[in-house]
């Protein structure tokens, strides 16, 4: 088990700047989601936004697991039954879809990583509830990212917010430490009992990312080696913030201007 990296104030400033860039691009990309637009077009738009911001995509060419080619997109765009790591392509957005966008950038040596799920027009009320409760679970989890708490207090906050509402918490994918590299220790599960794992310390920076399904929590990976979908093909939601552990109150790094 490698150690969680603590950032000093200078490094936290860098994380804040990278987080703001990632958040602004996330919001601009969200506004471009509309019926008839392909996920490839959205990704190309994100590429231009990232470029204009003087940043780089943290995702493109990211190494895949054994035998899987590197990640081919600038962002991840996951529609409906796609949970995370949706590869941008020919799929066109339709009315009633829920579109999860995941934007990770490298800016001046630091990573900002964030995601949100956007309903397109008139959407199933239960899907709107899924989005609302997933966002609530992220906020409750972030509230736990304070010095003196344990890592699994974050995990427990996610599960205890959404599970009682009948939603399925994805267990096969996790949040993570974030810093000069996109994936630093620790892994952050979105379920489990509170009060376990390493003690949280000021200066730890974490990407907290609940993935919550309308139906079963079970997922599978498509033949492309990347796209994660729900086993029952019911919709899924993904929300993510990069945050800094502080004394008393966590700091959200991926807030837009
Ligand atoms: N936010 C995701 C993560 O933290 C995005 C990674 S996509 C990848 O894992 F393509 F870069 F792997
Ligand atoms: Co992430």
């Amino acid at each position: 088990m490698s150690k969680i990296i603590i950032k000093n104030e200078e490094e936290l400033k860098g994380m804040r700047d990278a987080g703001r860039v990632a958040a602004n691009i996330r919001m601009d990309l969200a506004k471009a989601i509309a019926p008839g637009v392909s996920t490839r077009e959205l990704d190309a738009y994100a590429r231009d936004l990232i470029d204009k911001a003087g940043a780089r995509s943290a995702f493109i060419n990211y190494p895949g697991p054994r035998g899987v080619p590197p990640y081919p997109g600038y962002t991840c765009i996951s529609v409906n039954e796609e949970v995370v790591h949706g590869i941008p392509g020919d799929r066109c957005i339709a009315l009633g879809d829920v579109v999860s966008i995941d934007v990770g950038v490298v800016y001046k040596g630091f990573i900002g990583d964030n995601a949100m799920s956007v309903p397109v027009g008139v959407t199933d009320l239960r899907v709107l509830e899924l989005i609302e409760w997933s966002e609530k679970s992220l906020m409750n989890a972030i509230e736990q990212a304070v010095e003196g708490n344990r890592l699994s207090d974050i995990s427990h906050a996610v599960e205890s917010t959404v599970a009682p509402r009948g939603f399925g918490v994805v267990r096969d994918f996790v949040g993570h430490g974030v810093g000069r590299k996109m994936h630093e220790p620790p892994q952050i599960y979105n379920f489990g009992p509170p009060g376990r794992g390493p003690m949280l310390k000021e200066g730890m920076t974490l990407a907290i990312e609940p993935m919550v399904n309308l139906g079963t929590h079970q997922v599978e990976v498509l033949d492309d080696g990347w796209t994660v979908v729900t086993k029952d093909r019911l919709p899924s939601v993904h929300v993510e913030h990069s945050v800094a552990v502080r004394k008393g109150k966590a700091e959200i790094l991926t807030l837009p201007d």
Side-chain angles (χ1 to χ4, degrees), residues 59 102 113-114 174-176 178 182-183 207-209 238 240 242:
F59 297 175
D102 191 343
D113 188 10
N114 67 169
V174 294
H176 50 94
V178 61
M182 179 161 66
H183 293 141
I208 303 175
E209 46 183 320
H238 178 216
E240 174 179 28
S242 300

Side-chain angles (χ1 to χ4, degrees), residues 160-243:
S160 63
T161 304
V162 293
R165 275 85 205 180
F167 301 123
V169 179
V170 174
R171 305 170 88 85
D172 298 358
F173 294 85
V174 294
H176 50 94
V178 61
R180 293 183 188 274
K181 291 201 310 173
M182 179 161 66
H183 293 141
E184 293 183 351
Q187 298 198 119
I188 308 174
Y189 290 91
N190 289 307
F191 63 95
R196 309 277 176 89
M199 197 78 97
L200 300 179
K201 294 250 181 330
E202 183 158 68
M204 291 177 172
T205 46
L206 308 172
I208 303 175
E209 46 183 320
M211 290 149 267
V212 189
N213 300 345
L214 192 62
T216 180
H217 74 273
Q218 289 180 295
V219 299
E220 56 194 36
V221 180
L222 296 185
D223 285 338
D224 63 26
W226 283 104
T227 313
V228 179
V229 298
T230 55
K231 236 182 187 145
D232 56 15
R233 300 301 191 265
L234 289 177
S236 181
V237 154
H238 178 216
V239 288
E240 174 179 28
H241 273 306
S242 300
V243 308

